[in-house]
Amino acid sequence: MSEVPNKVAVTQPSNDLDAFCIILKSSKCPGILTGAGLSAASGITTYRGTNGQWLTTNPMEVASLQAFQDNPGRVWAYYHPKRDQCMEAKPNAAHYALASLSLPSIRAQIFPNLVQKDKPPLYVTQNFDGLCRRALDETLDKASSPEDQLDADERNEVHARLVEMHGSCYRFTCTQCKCVKTTAETPLAPIFTDQAAIERAKNGEERIAVEQLPRCGGPEWSGSNRYGRCGGLLRPGIVWFGEIPEGQGEITRILTKVDVLLVVGTSSLVHPAATYATTVKKNGGTVAVFNLAPSQGDDKADFVFYGPCEETVPALLERARQMVVGTE
Ligand SMILES: [Zn+2]
């Protein structure tokens, strides 16, 4: 324990829900960081869990720019079925609970002391499954109270607060003209309906010709070289190993003001959770971890709530909504 930075960290983290709710009530600028554990209940395989996909796949062979340049078909063969899995999955109760913070009526109950009352908390996710965004959209669409009816600008504001730092399975970039596309279409090329071929390509037994892979302008591309229809090879719009995560400037700018950080479904030891938590703690803020099981480094958090986050996160926010704190 030689690196204990201050007296707060010496004590064991608390699991007192009411005590944490009181801190939420006083927060001026809360922030959220979510990881793979958030989507576990939606059936998305986590990377490092017991059945983690990196146990069977070498990440460098499918999740780096070098891998894509060496054998784009193999990367696509790994990635396209994964994308289908993400699109078939549904957001769970934890996604919806966090998304409810985009509604002004809920936010006013849980965070009555926000400095920017019209802005939802900074919401950073490491997941590229698109479930955080889908939960946000569904929540905004279903909002019934008049104060929660957001106009187009306000909806954009909500979306802008969500940073998908590792990209999204709905996005693609053309390797040639660099245009960015967003689509929920599947399959992205006819080859992906041939499961046997995809399996062989994934195992490195057979190469898929570049012409058969998703291309800028779609399968009906007919020789145009215009921006967005240039026929170039598309790459998944996700951030690979060795690439710079998205939204880093925005995250850094807001993080220095964050006074309560909720770390949901990710080990608090590894980057970025560890880095964010350190920044928030340095500024005198509070860090709370919501994860299925203890992980190394949790002892540096102020609060830990173990259990499935689709239970612990909705329970926290419901409790915070009900709690009435006396005016000071
Ligand atoms: Zn292009």
PDB file of all heavy atoms in Angstrom, residues 173-179 181 215-217 225-234, ligand 1:
ATOM      1  N   THR A 173     -15.646   3.409 -42.236  1.00  0.00           N
ATOM      2  CA  THR A 173     -14.867   4.448 -42.904  1.00  0.00           C
ATOM      3  C   THR A 173     -14.308   3.864 -44.194  1.00  0.00           C
ATOM      4  O   THR A 173     -13.823   2.727 -44.208  1.00  0.00           O
ATOM      5  CB  THR A 173     -13.694   4.913 -42.012  1.00  0.00           C
ATOM      6  OG1 THR A 173     -14.214   5.242 -40.729  1.00  0.00           O
ATOM      7  CG2 THR A 173     -13.018   6.135 -42.600  1.00  0.00           C
ATOM      8  N   CYS A 174     -14.370   4.655 -45.265  1.00  0.00           N
ATOM      9  CA  CYS A 174     -13.779   4.227 -46.529  1.00  0.00           C
ATOM     10  C   CYS A 174     -12.269   4.429 -46.431  1.00  0.00           C
ATOM     11  O   CYS A 174     -11.805   5.504 -46.062  1.00  0.00           O
ATOM     12  CB  CYS A 174     -14.352   5.046 -47.679  1.00  0.00           C
ATOM     13  SG  CYS A 174     -13.523   4.697 -49.236  1.00  0.00           S
ATOM     14  N   THR A 175     -11.527   3.377 -46.759  1.00  0.00           N
ATOM     15  CA  THR A 175     -10.059   3.466 -46.669  1.00  0.00           C
ATOM     16  C   THR A 175      -9.495   4.367 -47.762  1.00  0.00           C
ATOM     17  O   THR A 175      -8.344   4.782 -47.690  1.00  0.00           O
ATOM     18  CB  THR A 175      -9.417   2.065 -46.792  1.00  0.00           C
ATOM     19  OG1 THR A 175      -9.901   1.450 -47.992  1.00  0.00           O
ATOM     20  CG2 THR A 175      -9.758   1.196 -45.607  1.00  0.00           C
ATOM     21  N   GLN A 176     -10.326   4.674 -48.772  1.00  0.00           N
ATOM     22  CA  GLN A 176      -9.844   5.466 -49.895  1.00  0.00           C
ATOM     23  C   GLN A 176     -10.243   6.943 -49.768  1.00  0.00           C
ATOM     24  O   GLN A 176      -9.406   7.808 -49.645  1.00  0.00           O
ATOM     25  CB  GLN A 176     -10.408   4.884 -51.187  1.00  0.00           C
ATOM     26  CG  GLN A 176      -9.478   4.996 -52.370  1.00  0.00           C
ATOM     27  CD  GLN A 176      -9.884   3.988 -53.431  1.00  0.00           C
ATOM     28  OE1 GLN A 176      -9.566   2.799 -53.329  1.00  0.00           O
ATOM     29  NE2 GLN A 176     -10.617   4.457 -54.431  1.00  0.00           N
ATOM     30  N   CYS A 177     -11.568   7.221 -49.796  1.00  0.00           N
ATOM     31  CA  CYS A 177     -12.002   8.630 -49.767  1.00  0.00           C
ATOM     32  C   CYS A 177     -12.239   9.128 -48.339  1.00  0.00           C
ATOM     33  O   CYS A 177     -12.524  10.298 -48.131  1.00  0.00           O
ATOM     34  CB  CYS A 177     -13.242   8.848 -50.630  1.00  0.00           C
ATOM     35  SG  CYS A 177     -14.784   8.226 -49.932  1.00  0.00           S
ATOM     36  N   LYS A 178     -12.148   8.216 -47.345  1.00  0.00           N
ATOM     37  CA  LYS A 178     -12.234   8.540 -45.906  1.00  0.00           C
ATOM     38  C   LYS A 178     -13.632   8.959 -45.456  1.00  0.00           C
ATOM     39  O   LYS A 178     -13.789   9.471 -44.346  1.00  0.00           O
ATOM     40  CB  LYS A 178     -11.238   9.648 -45.492  1.00  0.00           C
ATOM     41  CG  LYS A 178      -9.806   9.399 -45.900  1.00  0.00           C
ATOM     42  CD  LYS A 178      -9.231   8.201 -45.199  1.00  0.00           C
ATOM     43  CE  LYS A 178      -7.807   7.913 -45.651  1.00  0.00           C
ATOM     44  NZ  LYS A 178      -7.416   6.526 -45.420  1.00  0.00           N
ATOM     45  N   CYS A 179     -14.648   8.798 -46.312  1.00  0.00           N
ATOM     46  CA  CYS A 179     -15.986   9.186 -45.868  1.00  0.00           C
ATOM     47  C   CYS A 179     -16.446   8.201 -44.791  1.00  0.00           C
ATOM     48  O   CYS A 179     -16.019   7.043 -44.758  1.00  0.00           O
ATOM     49  CB  CYS A 179     -16.962   9.231 -47.031  1.00  0.00           C
ATOM     50  SG  CYS A 179     -17.681   7.661 -47.433  1.00  0.00           S
ATOM     51  N   LYS A 181     -19.614   6.323 -42.948  1.00  0.00           N
ATOM     52  CA  LYS A 181     -21.001   5.922 -43.192  1.00  0.00           C
ATOM     53  C   LYS A 181     -21.575   5.336 -41.919  1.00  0.00           C
ATOM     54  O   LYS A 181     -20.857   4.727 -41.133  1.00  0.00           O
ATOM     55  CB  LYS A 181     -21.057   4.845 -44.278  1.00  0.00           C
ATOM     56  CG  LYS A 181     -20.547   5.305 -45.615  1.00  0.00           C
ATOM     57  CD  LYS A 181     -20.322   4.106 -46.530  1.00  0.00           C
ATOM     58  CE  LYS A 181     -19.681   4.538 -47.829  1.00  0.00           C
ATOM     59  NZ  LYS A 181     -20.546   5.354 -48.676  1.00  0.00           N
ATOM     60  N   ARG A 215     -17.755  -2.327 -49.693  1.00  0.00           N
ATOM     61  CA  ARG A 215     -17.054  -1.243 -50.383  1.00  0.00           C
ATOM     62  C   ARG A 215     -17.887   0.032 -50.389  1.00  0.00           C
ATOM     63  O   ARG A 215     -19.094   0.015 -50.251  1.00  0.00           O
ATOM     64  CB  ARG A 215     -16.683  -1.671 -51.796  1.00  0.00           C
ATOM     65  CG  ARG A 215     -17.871  -2.030 -52.638  1.00  0.00           C
ATOM     66  CD  ARG A 215     -17.479  -2.900 -53.809  1.00  0.00           C
ATOM     67  NE  ARG A 215     -16.159  -2.546 -54.341  1.00  0.00           N
ATOM     68  CZ  ARG A 215     -15.682  -3.042 -55.475  1.00  0.00           C
ATOM     69  NH1 ARG A 215     -16.411  -3.861 -56.191  1.00  0.00           N
ATOM     70  NH2 ARG A 215     -14.511  -2.697 -55.918  1.00  0.00           N
ATOM     71  N   CYS A 216     -17.162   1.125 -50.540  1.00  0.00           N
ATOM     72  CA  CYS A 216     -17.751   2.460 -50.555  1.00  0.00           C
ATOM     73  C   CYS A 216     -18.696   2.578 -51.757  1.00  0.00           C
ATOM     74  O   CYS A 216     -18.272   2.405 -52.895  1.00  0.00           O
ATOM     75  CB  CYS A 216     -16.606   3.464 -50.664  1.00  0.00           C
ATOM     76  SG  CYS A 216     -17.057   5.180 -50.582  1.00  0.00           S
ATOM     77  N   GLY A 217     -19.978   2.863 -51.493  1.00  0.00           N
ATOM     78  CA  GLY A 217     -20.949   2.909 -52.585  1.00  0.00           C
ATOM     79  C   GLY A 217     -21.835   1.674 -52.597  1.00  0.00           C
ATOM     80  O   GLY A 217     -22.807   1.617 -53.333  1.00  0.00           O
ATOM     81  N   ASN A 225     -16.292   7.422 -59.036  1.00  0.00           N
ATOM     82  CA  ASN A 225     -15.204   7.670 -58.090  1.00  0.00           C
ATOM     83  C   ASN A 225     -15.521   8.859 -57.192  1.00  0.00           C
ATOM     84  O   ASN A 225     -14.642   9.498 -56.658  1.00  0.00           O
ATOM     85  CB  ASN A 225     -13.869   7.870 -58.831  1.00  0.00           C
ATOM     86  CG  ASN A 225     -13.925   9.050 -59.779  1.00  0.00           C
ATOM     87  OD1 ASN A 225     -14.956   9.725 -59.866  1.00  0.00           O
ATOM     88  ND2 ASN A 225     -12.836   9.305 -60.484  1.00  0.00           N
ATOM     89  N   ARG A 226     -16.816   9.154 -57.043  1.00  0.00           N
ATOM     90  CA  ARG A 226     -17.215  10.283 -56.208  1.00  0.00           C
ATOM     91  C   ARG A 226     -17.003   9.963 -54.726  1.00  0.00           C
ATOM     92  O   ARG A 226     -17.070   8.801 -54.310  1.00  0.00           O
ATOM     93  CB  ARG A 226     -18.692  10.608 -56.445  1.00  0.00           C
ATOM     94  CG  ARG A 226     -18.938  11.447 -57.707  1.00  0.00           C
ATOM     95  CD  ARG A 226     -20.369  11.909 -57.752  1.00  0.00           C
ATOM     96  NE  ARG A 226     -21.303  10.802 -57.805  1.00  0.00           N
ATOM     97  CZ  ARG A 226     -22.418  10.733 -57.089  1.00  0.00           C
ATOM     98  NH1 ARG A 226     -22.724  11.684 -56.253  1.00  0.00           N
ATOM     99  NH2 ARG A 226     -23.227   9.703 -57.203  1.00  0.00           N
ATOM    100  N   TYR A 227     -16.829  11.034 -53.935  1.00  0.00           N
ATOM    101  CA  TYR A 227     -16.718  10.894 -52.482  1.00  0.00           C
ATOM    102  C   TYR A 227     -17.948  10.159 -51.952  1.00  0.00           C
ATOM    103  O   TYR A 227     -19.086  10.501 -52.273  1.00  0.00           O
ATOM    104  CB  TYR A 227     -16.627  12.300 -51.861  1.00  0.00           C
ATOM    105  CG  TYR A 227     -16.617  12.312 -50.355  1.00  0.00           C
ATOM    106  CD1 TYR A 227     -15.480  11.936 -49.642  1.00  0.00           C
ATOM    107  CD2 TYR A 227     -17.742  12.711 -49.644  1.00  0.00           C
ATOM    108  CE1 TYR A 227     -15.466  11.953 -48.261  1.00  0.00           C
ATOM    109  CE2 TYR A 227     -17.736  12.736 -48.261  1.00  0.00           C
ATOM    110  CZ  TYR A 227     -16.589  12.349 -47.575  1.00  0.00           C
ATOM    111  OH  TYR A 227     -16.585  12.372 -46.212  1.00  0.00           O
ATOM    112  N   GLY A 228     -17.732   9.145 -51.159  1.00  0.00           N
ATOM    113  CA  GLY A 228     -18.846   8.384 -50.594  1.00  0.00           C
ATOM    114  C   GLY A 228     -19.367   7.302 -51.528  1.00  0.00           C
ATOM    115  O   GLY A 228     -20.229   6.520 -51.140  1.00  0.00           O
ATOM    116  N   ARG A 229     -18.859   7.272 -52.747  1.00  0.00           N
ATOM    117  CA  ARG A 229     -19.262   6.224 -53.692  1.00  0.00           C
ATOM    118  C   ARG A 229     -18.059   5.805 -54.538  1.00  0.00           C
ATOM    119  O   ARG A 229     -18.167   5.525 -55.717  1.00  0.00           O
ATOM    120  CB  ARG A 229     -20.361   6.746 -54.636  1.00  0.00           C
ATOM    121  CG  ARG A 229     -21.686   7.068 -53.976  1.00  0.00           C
ATOM    122  CD  ARG A 229     -22.771   7.280 -55.016  1.00  0.00           C
ATOM    123  NE  ARG A 229     -22.925   6.124 -55.902  1.00  0.00           N
ATOM    124  CZ  ARG A 229     -23.589   5.025 -55.585  1.00  0.00           C
ATOM    125  NH1 ARG A 229     -24.142   4.893 -54.409  1.00  0.00           N
ATOM    126  NH2 ARG A 229     -23.681   4.031 -56.450  1.00  0.00           N
ATOM    127  N   CYS A 230     -16.890   5.777 -53.899  1.00  0.00           N
ATOM    128  CA  CYS A 230     -15.657   5.647 -54.681  1.00  0.00           C
ATOM    129  C   CYS A 230     -15.264   4.199 -54.945  1.00  0.00           C
ATOM    130  O   CYS A 230     -14.297   3.941 -55.665  1.00  0.00           O
ATOM    131  CB  CYS A 230     -14.520   6.403 -53.997  1.00  0.00           C
ATOM    132  SG  CYS A 230     -13.781   5.510 -52.631  1.00  0.00           S
ATOM    133  N   GLY A 231     -15.975   3.232 -54.326  1.00  0.00           N
ATOM    134  CA  GLY A 231     -15.644   1.830 -54.562  1.00  0.00           C
ATOM    135  C   GLY A 231     -14.505   1.323 -53.691  1.00  0.00           C
ATOM    136  O   GLY A 231     -14.126   0.153 -53.783  1.00  0.00           O
ATOM    137  N   GLY A 232     -13.951   2.186 -52.836  1.00  0.00           N
ATOM    138  CA  GLY A 232     -12.837   1.771 -51.962  1.00  0.00           C
ATOM    139  C   GLY A 232     -13.298   0.758 -50.914  1.00  0.00           C
ATOM    140  O   GLY A 232     -14.490   0.610 -50.646  1.00  0.00           O
ATOM    141  N   LEU A 233     -12.340   0.085 -50.327  1.00  0.00           N
ATOM    142  CA  LEU A 233     -12.627  -0.890 -49.274  1.00  0.00           C
ATOM    143  C   LEU A 233     -13.082  -0.163 -48.000  1.00  0.00           C
ATOM    144  O   LEU A 233     -12.441   0.793 -47.575  1.00  0.00           O
ATOM    145  CB  LEU A 233     -11.350  -1.699 -48.992  1.00  0.00           C
ATOM    146  CG  LEU A 233     -11.381  -2.700 -47.832  1.00  0.00           C
ATOM    147  CD1 LEU A 233     -12.361  -3.838 -48.118  1.00  0.00           C
ATOM    148  CD2 LEU A 233      -9.975  -3.250 -47.590  1.00  0.00           C
ATOM    149  N   LEU A 234     -14.180  -0.638 -47.410  1.00  0.00           N
ATOM    150  CA  LEU A 234     -14.620  -0.049 -46.138  1.00  0.00           C
ATOM    151  C   LEU A 234     -13.937  -0.778 -44.985  1.00  0.00           C
ATOM    152  O   LEU A 234     -13.709  -1.984 -45.062  1.00  0.00           O
ATOM    153  CB  LEU A 234     -16.137  -0.191 -45.966  1.00  0.00           C
ATOM    154  CG  LEU A 234     -17.048   0.591 -46.897  1.00  0.00           C
ATOM    155  CD1 LEU A 234     -18.504   0.403 -46.458  1.00  0.00           C
ATOM    156  CD2 LEU A 234     -16.706   2.072 -46.900  1.00  0.00           C
TER     157      LEU A 234
HETATM  158 ZN    ZN B   1     -14.869   6.000 -50.638  1.00  0.00          ZN
END
